[in-house]
Amino acid sequence: MNTSGGPGDKPRDIGLKAIHDARIERGASKAGRVSGMTWLFGIGTVLVVVIGAWIYRDRSLDAMKEELFSKQRAATTTVGAEWYPLRERLEKLTIEAAAPEYKGDHVDPAAAKWNLTDVPGLYLRMRTADAKDAESLRKKAKDSARDSFVGCFLRENNPSMAAAAKGEDAGTGWNDQPWNLRLAYQTTRILSEEWTTEAKNAEDEIHFRVFMQQYEKAIAEEIPHAIDIVKRAQFFLLVLDEDVDEAMQFAPDSGYRAGQISEEGLQQVVHPSRVHLIDLRTKDGDPTLLRVRRSADADFHFVSGAMPNNAYTLSALKRQVMNCNLAEQVKTALNPTKTADAALDAGAAPDAK
């Protein structure tokens, strides 16, 4: 049988149509299939791009770190030359004041004639145990708060009680005198080994840029301002709180581990506090104008009899009255006659709490 047909006829398919269609599909499948070599080439290309990007990023981050740490080393030489001697003098005074053996009370008559509200000064408060050496002092100085002791000791008719009633420690928003030395430690932290280690451990550029911004701001603005204030300061008001076991129950409120004494806990219970007033203008000899050791003991009551149930507010109020009581005792030691006259003018006995 002739299956070719005439010249104008289309060739006819031989065999079953289903078999013919299956052959066409197999051919199309073979033509569109990606070979194993092609897959390997594609995967290899992607890996090369990823590894290249990782190497570039790593080298870029290393370059950024080297540039920043180079600046930091230079700043340690220049800025550090100004800051370190100031810091070491204040730390030496603090460590000596925190010695295990208290030297005893001392009041220079000249101290009562000095109006501390008219001259620049520095303030630092911490636990005696935290001032045993320079390393511990620098670590704990960042927790020093401008508490109500400063307000009651250096300011008359201060509004600190209203601040405490709102659940705030008195004086936390004051940025005038005396200047809290805690800020100097914060601003110069970019020169410390701790800060350097944290910056070195930054895993990517985004996180490392935070350290770059911290450094630039500190060098350009904060450190020069801090050094200027410390250099101009004429007095150093230092309060060192001695530990007592009763303060351990307040540890959960302050972030301390259970059973560990906290500064906030100390300020709510009766405990000895060493208060030092140091004349920073004195270059030779003992610069101590005032050194007393007192234990605050005070409480508060609401006239209405309705006590707030907010634990933070109650703690702030307790710290407020205890710190103001401590301030009053120190003022009495500084100028007994003036304090007694003021108490009598207010219609109260000189020894009234």
Side-chain angles (χ1 to χ4, degrees), residues 275-290:
V275 181
H276 295 248
L277 178 61
I278 299 168
D279 187 352
L280 295 177
R281 301 169 302 178
T282 302
K283 301 302 180 183
D284 299 316
D286 187 359
T288 303
L289 292 173
L290 170 76

Side-chain angles (χ1 to χ4, degrees), residues 210-227:
V210 174
F211 292 95
M212 294 177 64
Q213 292 170 359
Q214 290 177 355
Y215 176 85
E216 296 297 339
K217 184 177 181 181
I219 290 296
E221 304 173 16
E222 297 173 342
I223 292 181
H225 180 61
I227 291 177

Side-chain angles (χ1 to χ4, degrees), residues 27-189:
S29 175
K30 290 179 180 180
R33 182 183 301 168
V34 179
S35 66
M37 290 299 296
T38 302
W39 274 111
L40 289 176
F41 179 78
I43 294 173
T45 301
V46 172
L47 288 176
V48 168
V49 172
V50 171
I51 293 173
W54 181 81
I55 293 175
Y56 174 80
R57 187 204 67 173
D58 196 49
R59 289 180 177 177
S60 176
L61 181 59
D62 287 342
M64 292 171 62
K65 289 183 177 181
E66 179 57 34
E67 181 182 2
L68 178 60
F69 297 142
S70 177
K71 291 180 179 179
Q72 184 200 40
R73 288 191 292 270
T76 301
T77 303
T78 56
V79 176
E82 283 193 286
W83 164 240
Y84 292 149
L86 298 172
R87 181 187 67 180
E88 288 169 5
R89 184 191 182 194
L90 295 170
E91 289 177 347
K92 183 175 183 294
L93 292 168
T94 303
I95 293 171
E96 289 177 351
E101 295 297 327
Y102 177 64
K103 292 183 179 181
D105 289 0
H106 165 73
V107 180
D108 189 322
K113 303 176 183 178
W114 200 4
N115 188 355
L116 300 178
T117 61
D118 291 340
V119 294
L122 303 173
Y123 177 66
L124 180 66
R125 183 169 188 173
M126 63 194 320
R127 293 168 55 226
T128 306
D130 291 333
K132 59 185 178 181
D133 53 50
E135 181 180 359
S136 176
L137 193 159
R138 293 168 192 172
K139 181 179 179 181
K140 294 296 183 179
K142 68 179 185 300
D143 299 326
S144 174
R146 186 184 168 89
D147 53 73
S148 54
F149 171 81
V150 177
C152 292
F153 182 62
L154 296 181
R155 293 178 181 270
E156 298 294 333
N157 300 320
N158 67 80
S160 52
M161 210 50 189
K166 295 179 181 178
E168 305 171 0
D169 279 341
T172 53
W174 294 344
N175 294 315
D176 50 0
Q177 294 299 324
W179 195 64
N180 198 316
L181 196 57
R182 163 181 58 87
L183 300 176
Y185 281 98
Q186 286 182 346
T187 58
T188 56
R189 185 174 177 270

